[in-house]
PDB file of all heavy atoms in Angstrom:
ATOM      1  N   THR A   1      23.550   7.519  14.073  1.00 94.00           N
ATOM      2  CA  THR A   1      24.164   8.694  14.704  1.00 94.00           C
ATOM      3  C   THR A   1      25.363   8.241  15.539  1.00 94.00           C
ATOM      4  O   THR A   1      25.225   7.418  16.443  1.00 94.00           O
ATOM      5  CB  THR A   1      23.166   9.428  15.607  1.00 94.00           C
ATOM      6  OG1 THR A   1      22.035   9.833  14.828  1.00 94.00           O
ATOM      7  CG2 THR A   1      23.802  10.659  16.228  1.00 94.00           C
ATOM      8  N   LEU A   2      26.534   8.784  15.205  1.00 92.00           N
ATOM      9  CA  LEU A   2      27.764   8.477  15.931  1.00 92.00           C
ATOM     10  C   LEU A   2      28.171   9.712  16.733  1.00 92.00           C
ATOM     11  O   LEU A   2      28.378  10.789  16.165  1.00 92.00           O
ATOM     12  CB  LEU A   2      28.875   8.095  14.956  1.00 92.00           C
ATOM     13  CG  LEU A   2      30.251   7.798  15.560  1.00 92.00           C
ATOM     14  CD1 LEU A   2      30.182   6.598  16.490  1.00 92.00           C
ATOM     15  CD2 LEU A   2      31.280   7.576  14.459  1.00 92.00           C
ATOM     16  N   GLN A   3      28.238   9.543  18.059  1.00 88.00           N
ATOM     17  CA  GLN A   3      28.593  10.651  18.945  1.00 88.00           C
ATOM     18  C   GLN A   3      30.100  10.640  19.167  1.00 88.00           C
ATOM     19  O   GLN A   3      30.656   9.679  19.673  1.00 88.00           O
ATOM     20  CB  GLN A   3      27.870  10.519  20.283  1.00 88.00           C
ATOM     21  CG  GLN A   3      28.045  11.705  21.211  1.00 88.00           C
ATOM     22  CD  GLN A   3      27.248  12.921  20.749  1.00 88.00           C
ATOM     23  OE1 GLN A   3      26.111  12.785  20.322  1.00 88.00           O
ATOM     24  NE2 GLN A   3      27.867  14.102  20.819  1.00 88.00           N
ATOM     25  N   LEU A   4      30.755  11.738  18.791  1.00 86.00           N
ATOM     26  CA  LEU A   4      32.201  11.909  18.982  1.00 86.00           C
ATOM     27  C   LEU A   4      32.418  13.155  19.849  1.00 86.00           C
ATOM     28  O   LEU A   4      32.549  14.271  19.337  1.00 86.00           O
ATOM     29  CB  LEU A   4      32.913  12.071  17.636  1.00 86.00           C
ATOM     30  CG  LEU A   4      32.810  10.875  16.664  1.00 86.00           C
ATOM     31  CD1 LEU A   4      33.401  11.235  15.312  1.00 86.00           C
ATOM     32  CD2 LEU A   4      33.518   9.659  17.256  1.00 86.00           C
ATOM     33  N   GLY A   5      32.411  12.949  21.156  1.00 83.00           N
ATOM     34  CA  GLY A   5      32.520  14.094  22.051  1.00 83.00           C
ATOM     35  C   GLY A   5      31.322  14.992  21.890  1.00 83.00           C
ATOM     36  O   GLY A   5      30.171  14.582  22.098  1.00 83.00           O
ATOM     37  N   HIS A   6      31.587  16.241  21.508  1.00 86.00           N
ATOM     38  CA  HIS A   6      30.492  17.183  21.272  1.00 86.00           C
ATOM     39  C   HIS A   6      30.028  17.183  19.821  1.00 86.00           C
ATOM     40  O   HIS A   6      29.182  17.987  19.437  1.00 86.00           O
ATOM     41  CB  HIS A   6      30.942  18.603  21.655  1.00 86.00           C
ATOM     42  CG  HIS A   6      31.264  18.734  23.116  1.00 86.00           C
ATOM     43  ND1 HIS A   6      30.312  18.678  24.110  1.00 86.00           N
ATOM     44  CD2 HIS A   6      32.457  18.919  23.745  1.00 86.00           C
ATOM     45  CE1 HIS A   6      30.874  18.823  25.287  1.00 86.00           C
ATOM     46  NE2 HIS A   6      32.199  18.971  25.099  1.00 86.00           N
ATOM     47  N   ARG A   7      30.575  16.306  19.053  1.00 89.00           N
ATOM     48  CA  ARG A   7      30.262  16.279  17.622  1.00 89.00           C
ATOM     49  C   ARG A   7      29.462  15.027  17.288  1.00 89.00           C
ATOM     50  O   ARG A   7      29.682  13.956  17.855  1.00 89.00           O
ATOM     51  CB  ARG A   7      31.561  16.289  16.815  1.00 89.00           C
ATOM     52  CG  ARG A   7      31.353  16.295  15.307  1.00 89.00           C
ATOM     53  CD  ARG A   7      32.683  16.162  14.600  1.00 89.00           C
ATOM     54  NE  ARG A   7      32.517  16.007  13.163  1.00 89.00           N
ATOM     55  CZ  ARG A   7      33.439  15.542  12.336  1.00 89.00           C
ATOM     56  NH1 ARG A   7      34.629  15.197  12.840  1.00 89.00           N
ATOM     57  NH2 ARG A   7      33.212  15.433  11.049  1.00 89.00           N
ATOM     58  N   LYS A   8      28.539  15.158  16.349  1.00 90.00           N
ATOM     59  CA  LYS A   8      27.736  14.029  15.879  1.00 90.00           C
ATOM     60  C   LYS A   8      27.965  13.820  14.385  1.00 90.00           C
ATOM     61  O   LYS A   8      28.029  14.780  13.621  1.00 90.00           O
ATOM     62  CB  LYS A   8      26.241  14.267  16.124  1.00 90.00           C
ATOM     63  CG  LYS A   8      25.820  14.207  17.575  1.00 90.00           C
ATOM     64  CD  LYS A   8      24.319  14.385  17.702  1.00 90.00           C
ATOM     65  CE  LYS A   8      23.881  14.302  19.166  1.00 90.00           C
ATOM     66  NZ  LYS A   8      22.412  14.468  19.301  1.00 90.00           N
ATOM     67  N   VAL A   9      28.102  12.567  14.029  1.00 92.00           N
ATOM     68  CA  VAL A   9      28.201  12.197  12.613  1.00 92.00           C
ATOM     69  C   VAL A   9      26.956  11.373  12.267  1.00 92.00           C
ATOM     70  O   VAL A   9      26.624  10.414  12.984  1.00 92.00           O
ATOM     71  CB  VAL A   9      29.473  11.371  12.339  1.00 92.00           C
ATOM     72  CG1 VAL A   9      29.534  10.985  10.866  1.00 92.00           C
ATOM     73  CG2 VAL A   9      30.711  12.154  12.747  1.00 92.00           C
ATOM     74  N   ASN A  10      26.277  11.756  11.210  1.00 93.00           N
ATOM     75  CA  ASN A  10      25.011  11.116  10.843  1.00 93.00           C
ATOM     76  C   ASN A  10      25.093  10.475   9.460  1.00 93.00           C
ATOM     77  O   ASN A  10      25.810  10.959   8.574  1.00 93.00           O
ATOM     78  CB  ASN A  10      23.866  12.127  10.843  1.00 93.00           C
ATOM     79  CG  ASN A  10      23.654  12.764  12.201  1.00 93.00           C
ATOM     80  OD1 ASN A  10      23.475  12.063  13.196  1.00 93.00           O
ATOM     81  ND2 ASN A  10      23.694  14.090  12.253  1.00 93.00           N
ATOM     82  N   ALA A  11      24.373   9.411   9.313  1.00 94.00           N
ATOM     83  CA  ALA A  11      24.204   8.751   8.013  1.00 94.00           C
ATOM     84  C   ALA A  11      22.843   8.084   8.008  1.00 94.00           C
ATOM     85  O   ALA A  11      22.299   7.743   9.067  1.00 94.00           O
ATOM     86  CB  ALA A  11      25.315   7.730   7.771  1.00 94.00           C
ATOM     87  N   SER A  12      22.291   7.893   6.832  1.00 94.00           N
ATOM     88  CA  SER A  12      20.965   7.264   6.750  1.00 94.00           C
ATOM     89  C   SER A  12      20.844   6.464   5.460  1.00 94.00           C
ATOM     90  O   SER A  12      21.613   6.657   4.507  1.00 94.00           O
ATOM     91  CB  SER A  12      19.847   8.312   6.834  1.00 94.00           C
ATOM     92  OG  SER A  12      19.887   9.164   5.703  1.00 94.00           O
ATOM     93  N   HIS A  13      19.866   5.588   5.489  1.00 95.00           N
ATOM     94  CA  HIS A  13      19.583   4.759   4.315  1.00 95.00           C
ATOM     95  C   HIS A  13      18.089   4.469   4.310  1.00 95.00           C
ATOM     96  O   HIS A  13      17.465   4.335   5.371  1.00 95.00           O
ATOM     97  CB  HIS A  13      20.382   3.450   4.373  1.00 95.00           C
ATOM     98  CG  HIS A  13      20.108   2.520   3.228  1.00 95.00           C
ATOM     99  ND1 HIS A  13      20.397   2.836   1.920  1.00 95.00           N
ATOM    100  CD2 HIS A  13      19.566   1.268   3.202  1.00 95.00           C
ATOM    101  CE1 HIS A  13      20.053   1.831   1.139  1.00 95.00           C
ATOM    102  NE2 HIS A  13      19.546   0.866   1.892  1.00 95.00           N
ATOM    103  N   ALA A  14      17.498   4.388   3.129  1.00 95.00           N
ATOM    104  CA  ALA A  14      16.054   4.150   3.018  1.00 95.00           C
ATOM    105  C   ALA A  14      15.781   3.079   1.966  1.00 95.00           C
ATOM    106  O   ALA A  14      16.506   2.960   0.965  1.00 95.00           O
ATOM    107  CB  ALA A  14      15.315   5.438   2.653  1.00 95.00           C
ATOM    108  N   VAL A  15      14.741   2.303   2.209  1.00 95.00           N
ATOM    109  CA  VAL A  15      14.261   1.320   1.237  1.00 95.00           C
ATOM    110  C   VAL A  15      12.748   1.466   1.125  1.00 95.00           C
ATOM    111  O   VAL A  15      12.079   1.949   2.043  1.00 95.00           O
ATOM    112  CB  VAL A  15      14.620  -0.126   1.645  1.00 95.00           C
ATOM    113  CG1 VAL A  15      16.127  -0.323   1.691  1.00 95.00           C
ATOM    114  CG2 VAL A  15      13.973  -0.502   2.970  1.00 95.00           C
ATOM    115  N   THR A  16      12.223   1.037   0.000  1.00 95.00           N
ATOM    116  CA  THR A  16      10.775   1.063  -0.221  1.00 95.00           C
ATOM    117  C   THR A  16      10.215  -0.328   0.038  1.00 95.00           C
ATOM    118  O   THR A  16      10.717  -1.326  -0.496  1.00 95.00           O
ATOM    119  CB  THR A  16      10.452   1.500  -1.655  1.00 95.00           C
ATOM    120  OG1 THR A  16      10.976   2.822  -1.870  1.00 95.00           O
ATOM    121  CG2 THR A  16       8.948   1.522  -1.883  1.00 95.00           C
ATOM    122  N   LEU A  17       9.185  -0.389   0.877  1.00 95.00           N
ATOM    123  CA  LEU A  17       8.564  -1.670   1.186  1.00 95.00           C
ATOM    124  C   LEU A  17       7.824  -2.208  -0.039  1.00 95.00           C
ATOM    125  O   LEU A  17       7.080  -1.485  -0.700  1.00 95.00           O
ATOM    126  CB  LEU A  17       7.577  -1.531   2.345  1.00 95.00           C
ATOM    127  CG  LEU A  17       8.149  -1.393   3.754  1.00 95.00           C
ATOM    128  CD1 LEU A  17       7.013  -1.214   4.752  1.00 95.00           C
ATOM    129  CD2 LEU A  17       8.977  -2.618   4.126  1.00 95.00           C
ATOM    130  N   TRP A  18       8.036  -3.475  -0.303  1.00 96.00           N
ATOM    131  CA  TRP A  18       7.290  -4.170  -1.343  1.00 96.00           C
ATOM    132  C   TRP A  18       6.491  -5.261  -0.643  1.00 96.00           C
ATOM    133  O   TRP A  18       7.037  -6.277  -0.233  1.00 96.00           O
ATOM    134  CB  TRP A  18       8.220  -4.765  -2.378  1.00 96.00           C
ATOM    135  CG  TRP A  18       7.487  -5.311  -3.568  1.00 96.00           C
ATOM    136  CD1 TRP A  18       6.882  -6.521  -3.668  1.00 96.00           C
ATOM    137  CD2 TRP A  18       7.262  -4.653  -4.811  1.00 96.00           C
ATOM    138  NE1 TRP A  18       6.285  -6.678  -4.896  1.00 96.00           N
ATOM    139  CE2 TRP A  18       6.503  -5.541  -5.624  1.00 96.00           C
ATOM    140  CE3 TRP A  18       7.611  -3.402  -5.321  1.00 96.00           C
ATOM    141  CZ2 TRP A  18       6.108  -5.211  -6.912  1.00 96.00           C
ATOM    142  CZ3 TRP A  18       7.215  -3.087  -6.610  1.00 96.00           C
ATOM    143  CH2 TRP A  18       6.464  -3.981  -7.391  1.00 96.00           C
ATOM    144  N   VAL A  19       5.207  -5.029  -0.476  1.00 96.00           N
ATOM    145  CA  VAL A  19       4.351  -5.934   0.287  1.00 96.00           C
ATOM    146  C   VAL A  19       3.496  -6.754  -0.670  1.00 96.00           C
ATOM    147  O   VAL A  19       2.648  -6.208  -1.391  1.00 96.00           O
ATOM    148  CB  VAL A  19       3.448  -5.163   1.274  1.00 96.00           C
ATOM    149  CG1 VAL A  19       2.572  -6.134   2.054  1.00 96.00           C
ATOM    150  CG2 VAL A  19       4.289  -4.324   2.226  1.00 96.00           C
ATOM    151  N   TRP A  20       3.732  -8.054  -0.690  1.00 97.00           N
ATOM    152  CA  TRP A  20       2.880  -8.957  -1.454  1.00 97.00           C
ATOM    153  C   TRP A  20       1.576  -9.163  -0.683  1.00 97.00           C
ATOM    154  O   TRP A  20       1.577  -9.199   0.547  1.00 97.00           O
ATOM    155  CB  TRP A  20       3.566 -10.300  -1.661  1.00 97.00           C
ATOM    156  CG  TRP A  20       4.873 -10.218  -2.391  1.00 97.00           C
ATOM    157  CD1 TRP A  20       6.123 -10.333  -1.844  1.00 97.00           C
ATOM    158  CD2 TRP A  20       5.080 -10.001  -3.788  1.00 97.00           C
ATOM    159  NE1 TRP A  20       7.080 -10.201  -2.805  1.00 97.00           N
ATOM    160  CE2 TRP A  20       6.472  -9.991  -4.021  1.00 97.00           C
ATOM    161  CE3 TRP A  20       4.222  -9.809  -4.865  1.00 97.00           C
ATOM    162  CZ2 TRP A  20       7.023  -9.809  -5.279  1.00 97.00           C
ATOM    163  CZ3 TRP A  20       4.770  -9.621  -6.128  1.00 97.00           C
ATOM    164  CH2 TRP A  20       6.148  -9.628  -6.328  1.00 97.00           C
ATOM    165  N   ALA A  21       0.477  -9.317  -1.404  1.00 97.00           N
ATOM    166  CA  ALA A  21      -0.817  -9.452  -0.726  1.00 97.00           C
ATOM    167  C   ALA A  21      -1.757 -10.338  -1.523  1.00 97.00           C
ATOM    168  O   ALA A  21      -1.852 -10.221  -2.754  1.00 97.00           O
ATOM    169  CB  ALA A  21      -1.458  -8.084  -0.506  1.00 97.00           C
ATOM    170  N   ALA A  22      -2.452 -11.230  -0.820  1.00 96.00           N
ATOM    171  CA  ALA A  22      -3.510 -12.029  -1.437  1.00 96.00           C
ATOM    172  C   ALA A  22      -4.662 -11.105  -1.843  1.00 96.00           C
ATOM    173  O   ALA A  22      -4.773  -9.976  -1.347  1.00 96.00           O
ATOM    174  CB  ALA A  22      -3.999 -13.089  -0.453  1.00 96.00           C
ATOM    175  N   PRO A  23      -5.532 -11.534  -2.744  1.00 96.00           N
ATOM    176  CA  PRO A  23      -6.664 -10.691  -3.156  1.00 96.00           C
ATOM    177  C   PRO A  23      -7.508 -10.253  -1.950  1.00 96.00           C
ATOM    178  O   PRO A  23      -7.816 -11.050  -1.065  1.00 96.00           O
ATOM    179  CB  PRO A  23      -7.460 -11.605  -4.089  1.00 96.00           C
ATOM    180  CG  PRO A  23      -6.442 -12.552  -4.636  1.00 96.00           C
ATOM    181  CD  PRO A  23      -5.496 -12.806  -3.513  1.00 96.00           C
ATOM    182  N   HIS A  24      -7.844  -8.984  -1.937  1.00 95.00           N
ATOM    183  CA  HIS A  24      -8.671  -8.435  -0.871  1.00 95.00           C
ATOM    184  C   HIS A  24      -9.544  -7.334  -1.457  1.00 95.00           C
ATOM    185  O   HIS A  24      -9.360  -6.929  -2.597  1.00 95.00           O
ATOM    186  CB  HIS A  24      -7.815  -7.884   0.286  1.00 95.00           C
ATOM    187  CG  HIS A  24      -6.806  -6.871  -0.148  1.00 95.00           C
ATOM    188  ND1 HIS A  24      -5.607  -7.209  -0.742  1.00 95.00           N
ATOM    189  CD2 HIS A  24      -6.812  -5.519  -0.082  1.00 95.00           C
ATOM    190  CE1 HIS A  24      -4.920  -6.106  -1.020  1.00 95.00           C
ATOM    191  NE2 HIS A  24      -5.631  -5.080  -0.645  1.00 95.00           N
ATOM    192  N   HIS A  25     -10.516  -6.868  -0.656  1.00 95.00           N
ATOM    193  CA  HIS A  25     -11.485  -5.877  -1.121  1.00 95.00           C
ATOM    194  C   HIS A  25     -12.131  -6.336  -2.439  1.00 95.00           C
ATOM    195  O   HIS A  25     -12.271  -5.547  -3.381  1.00 95.00           O
ATOM    196  CB  HIS A  25     -10.824  -4.503  -1.307  1.00 95.00           C
ATOM    197  CG  HIS A  25     -10.335  -3.895  -0.027  1.00 95.00           C
ATOM    198  ND1 HIS A  25      -9.359  -2.908   0.004  1.00 95.00           N
ATOM    199  CD2 HIS A  25     -10.643  -4.141   1.265  1.00 95.00           C
ATOM    200  CE1 HIS A  25      -9.122  -2.583   1.265  1.00 95.00           C
ATOM    201  NE2 HIS A  25      -9.892  -3.321   2.036  1.00 95.00           N
ATOM    202  N   VAL A  26     -12.494  -7.613  -2.489  1.00 96.00           N
ATOM    203  CA  VAL A  26     -13.154  -8.150  -3.684  1.00 96.00           C
ATOM    204  C   VAL A  26     -14.625  -7.743  -3.649  1.00 96.00           C
ATOM    205  O   VAL A  26     -15.304  -7.938  -2.635  1.00 96.00           O
ATOM    206  CB  VAL A  26     -13.025  -9.683  -3.740  1.00 96.00           C
ATOM    207  CG1 VAL A  26     -13.646 -10.227  -5.029  1.00 96.00           C
ATOM    208  CG2 VAL A  26     -11.558 -10.110  -3.632  1.00 96.00           C
ATOM    209  N   GLY A  27     -15.105  -7.164  -4.728  1.00 96.00           N
ATOM    210  CA  GLY A  27     -16.498  -6.715  -4.778  1.00 96.00           C
ATOM    211  C   GLY A  27     -17.140  -7.019  -6.115  1.00 96.00           C
ATOM    212  O   GLY A  27     -16.484  -6.965  -7.160  1.00 96.00           O
ATOM    213  N   VAL A  28     -18.421  -7.369  -6.091  1.00 96.00           N
ATOM    214  CA  VAL A  28     -19.201  -7.621  -7.302  1.00 96.00           C
ATOM    215  C   VAL A  28     -20.478  -6.796  -7.221  1.00 96.00           C
ATOM    216  O   VAL A  28     -21.127  -6.771  -6.178  1.00 96.00           O
ATOM    217  CB  VAL A  28     -19.556  -9.120  -7.443  1.00 96.00           C
ATOM    218  CG1 VAL A  28     -20.481  -9.336  -8.641  1.00 96.00           C
ATOM    219  CG2 VAL A  28     -18.304  -9.952  -7.605  1.00 96.00           C
ATOM    220  N   TRP A  29     -20.808  -6.137  -8.290  1.00 93.00           N
ATOM    221  CA  TRP A  29     -22.031  -5.337  -8.282  1.00 93.00           C
ATOM    222  C   TRP A  29     -22.623  -5.242  -9.690  1.00 93.00           C
ATOM    223  O   TRP A  29     -21.943  -5.433 -10.697  1.00 93.00           O
ATOM    224  CB  TRP A  29     -21.761  -3.932  -7.730  1.00 93.00           C
ATOM    225  CG  TRP A  29     -20.859  -3.096  -8.587  1.00 93.00           C
ATOM    226  CD1 TRP A  29     -21.213  -2.224  -9.580  1.00 93.00           C
ATOM    227  CD2 TRP A  29     -19.427  -3.066  -8.535  1.00 93.00           C
ATOM    228  NE1 TRP A  29     -20.096  -1.651 -10.144  1.00 93.00           N
ATOM    229  CE2 TRP A  29     -18.997  -2.142  -9.523  1.00 93.00           C
ATOM    230  CE3 TRP A  29     -18.468  -3.714  -7.756  1.00 93.00           C
ATOM    231  CZ2 TRP A  29     -17.637  -1.869  -9.745  1.00 93.00           C
ATOM    232  CZ3 TRP A  29     -17.132  -3.440  -7.983  1.00 93.00           C
ATOM    233  CH2 TRP A  29     -16.725  -2.533  -8.954  1.00 93.00           C
ATOM    234  N   ALA A  30     -23.927  -4.948  -9.718  1.00 93.00           N
ATOM    235  CA  ALA A  30     -24.659  -4.686 -10.951  1.00 93.00           C
ATOM    236  C   ALA A  30     -25.414  -3.384 -10.771  1.00 93.00           C
ATOM    237  O   ALA A  30     -25.566  -2.886  -9.649  1.00 93.00           O
ATOM    238  CB  ALA A  30     -25.611  -5.838 -11.272  1.00 93.00           C
ATOM    239  N   SER A  31     -25.903  -2.822 -11.880  1.00 87.00           N
ATOM    240  CA  SER A  31     -26.644  -1.562 -11.798  1.00 87.00           C
ATOM    241  C   SER A  31     -27.883  -1.718 -10.928  1.00 87.00           C
ATOM    242  O   SER A  31     -28.311  -0.792 -10.254  1.00 87.00           O
ATOM    243  CB  SER A  31     -27.028  -1.070 -13.193  1.00 87.00           C
ATOM    244  OG  SER A  31     -27.788  -2.067 -13.874  1.00 87.00           O
ATOM    245  N   ARG A  32     -28.457  -2.917 -10.911  1.00 90.00           N
ATOM    246  CA  ARG A  32     -29.567  -3.278 -10.026  1.00 90.00           C
ATOM    247  C   ARG A  32     -29.586  -4.794  -9.947  1.00 90.00           C
ATOM    248  O   ARG A  32     -28.869  -5.475 -10.673  1.00 90.00           O
ATOM    249  CB  ARG A  32     -30.897  -2.720 -10.549  1.00 90.00           C
ATOM    250  CG  ARG A  32     -31.309  -3.197 -11.933  1.00 90.00           C
ATOM    251  CD  ARG A  32     -32.558  -2.464 -12.403  1.00 90.00           C
ATOM    252  NE  ARG A  32     -33.099  -2.999 -13.645  1.00 90.00           N
ATOM    253  CZ  ARG A  32     -32.681  -2.652 -14.852  1.00 90.00           C
ATOM    254  NH1 ARG A  32     -31.714  -1.750 -14.977  1.00 90.00           N
ATOM    255  NH2 ARG A  32     -33.245  -3.191 -15.942  1.00 90.00           N
ATOM    256  N   THR A  33     -30.401  -5.336  -9.057  1.00 91.00           N
ATOM    257  CA  THR A  33     -30.411  -6.787  -8.868  1.00 91.00           C
ATOM    258  C   THR A  33     -31.690  -7.442  -9.384  1.00 91.00           C
ATOM    259  O   THR A  33     -31.776  -8.665  -9.399  1.00 91.00           O
ATOM    260  CB  THR A  33     -30.237  -7.141  -7.380  1.00 91.00           C
ATOM    261  OG1 THR A  33     -31.259  -6.497  -6.618  1.00 91.00           O
ATOM    262  CG2 THR A  33     -28.874  -6.699  -6.877  1.00 91.00           C
ATOM    263  N   VAL A  34     -32.691  -6.653  -9.788  1.00 94.00           N
ATOM    264  CA  VAL A  34     -33.931  -7.199 -10.353  1.00 94.00           C
ATOM    265  C   VAL A  34     -34.100  -6.643 -11.756  1.00 94.00           C
ATOM    266  O   VAL A  34     -34.110  -5.425 -11.953  1.00 94.00           O
ATOM    267  CB  VAL A  34     -35.152  -6.850  -9.481  1.00 94.00           C
ATOM    268  CG1 VAL A  34     -36.422  -7.413 -10.116  1.00 94.00           C
ATOM    269  CG2 VAL A  34     -34.978  -7.393  -8.067  1.00 94.00           C
ATOM    270  N   PHE A  35     -34.230  -7.551 -12.745  1.00 94.00           N
ATOM    271  CA  PHE A  35     -34.326  -7.155 -14.138  1.00 94.00           C
ATOM    272  C   PHE A  35     -35.605  -7.717 -14.737  1.00 94.00           C
ATOM    273  O   PHE A  35     -36.236  -8.618 -14.179  1.00 94.00           O
ATOM    274  CB  PHE A  35     -33.128  -7.689 -14.936  1.00 94.00           C
ATOM    275  CG  PHE A  35     -31.822  -7.030 -14.593  1.00 94.00           C
ATOM    276  CD1 PHE A  35     -31.113  -7.421 -13.461  1.00 94.00           C
ATOM    277  CD2 PHE A  35     -31.296  -6.036 -15.401  1.00 94.00           C
ATOM    278  CE1 PHE A  35     -29.906  -6.823 -13.144  1.00 94.00           C
ATOM    279  CE2 PHE A  35     -30.101  -5.437 -15.089  1.00 94.00           C
ATOM    280  CZ  PHE A  35     -29.395  -5.829 -13.956  1.00 94.00           C
ATOM    281  N   ALA A  36     -35.959  -7.182 -15.901  1.00 94.00           N
ATOM    282  CA  ALA A  36     -37.064  -7.714 -16.690  1.00 94.00           C
ATOM    283  C   ALA A  36     -36.480  -8.373 -17.927  1.00 94.00           C
ATOM    284  O   ALA A  36     -35.408  -7.999 -18.406  1.00 94.00           O
ATOM    285  CB  ALA A  36     -38.029  -6.595 -17.085  1.00 94.00           C
ATOM    286  N   ALA A  37     -37.170  -9.381 -18.451  1.00 92.00           N
ATOM    287  CA  ALA A  37     -36.709 -10.064 -19.654  1.00 92.00           C
ATOM    288  C   ALA A  37     -36.520  -9.048 -20.779  1.00 92.00           C
ATOM    289  O   ALA A  37     -37.365  -8.194 -21.008  1.00 92.00           O
ATOM    290  CB  ALA A  37     -37.692 -11.148 -20.059  1.00 92.00           C
ATOM    291  N   GLY A  38     -35.373  -9.133 -21.449  1.00 92.00           N
ATOM    292  CA  GLY A  38     -35.056  -8.198 -22.520  1.00 92.00           C
ATOM    293  C   GLY A  38     -34.126  -7.075 -22.107  1.00 92.00           C
ATOM    294  O   GLY A  38     -33.602  -6.353 -22.959  1.00 92.00           O
ATOM    295  N   ASP A  39     -33.916  -6.892 -20.796  1.00 92.00           N
ATOM    296  CA  ASP A  39     -32.991  -5.855 -20.324  1.00 92.00           C
ATOM    297  C   ASP A  39     -31.554  -6.259 -20.605  1.00 92.00           C
ATOM    298  O   ASP A  39     -31.211  -7.447 -20.698  1.00 92.00           O
ATOM    299  CB  ASP A  39     -33.145  -5.641 -18.809  1.00 92.00           C
ATOM    300  CG  ASP A  39     -34.440  -4.940 -18.443  1.00 92.00           C
ATOM    301  OD1 ASP A  39     -35.095  -4.418 -19.366  1.00 92.00           O
ATOM    302  OD2 ASP A  39     -34.797  -4.939 -17.253  1.00 92.00           O
ATOM    303  N   ASN A  40     -30.682  -5.257 -20.735  1.00 91.00           N
ATOM    304  CA  ASN A  40     -29.250  -5.502 -20.820  1.00 91.00           C
ATOM    305  C   ASN A  40     -28.698  -5.667 -19.408  1.00 91.00           C
ATOM    306  O   ASN A  40     -28.968  -4.844 -18.529  1.00 91.00           O
ATOM    307  CB  ASN A  40     -28.538  -4.362 -21.538  1.00 91.00           C
ATOM    308  CG  ASN A  40     -28.953  -4.248 -22.991  1.00 91.00           C
ATOM    309  OD1 ASN A  40     -29.381  -5.237 -23.605  1.00 91.00           O
ATOM    310  ND2 ASN A  40     -28.825  -3.060 -23.561  1.00 91.00           N
TER     311      ASN A  40
END
């Protein structure tokens, strides 16, 4: 914003953040944790 007396001149610029990240929210799961022989 540039103030010129009672007048203002405006300009703007935008960029999109590109954030690199190590692996996070890592999760491992199975339908259940106790099985019987022969189950898938």
Side-chain angles (χ1 to χ4, degrees):
T1 301
L2 178 62
Q3 187 73 42
L4 298 173
H6 297 291
R7 181 186 173 198
K8 289 183 179 180
V9 179
N10 299 305
S12 65
H13 178 63
V15 297
T16 300
L17 285 178
W18 189 278
V19 180
W20 301 105
H24 55 281
H25 295 159
V26 183
V28 175
W29 66 92
S31 57
R32 60 186 187 275
T33 56
V34 179
F35 291 80
D39 288 348
N40 295 334

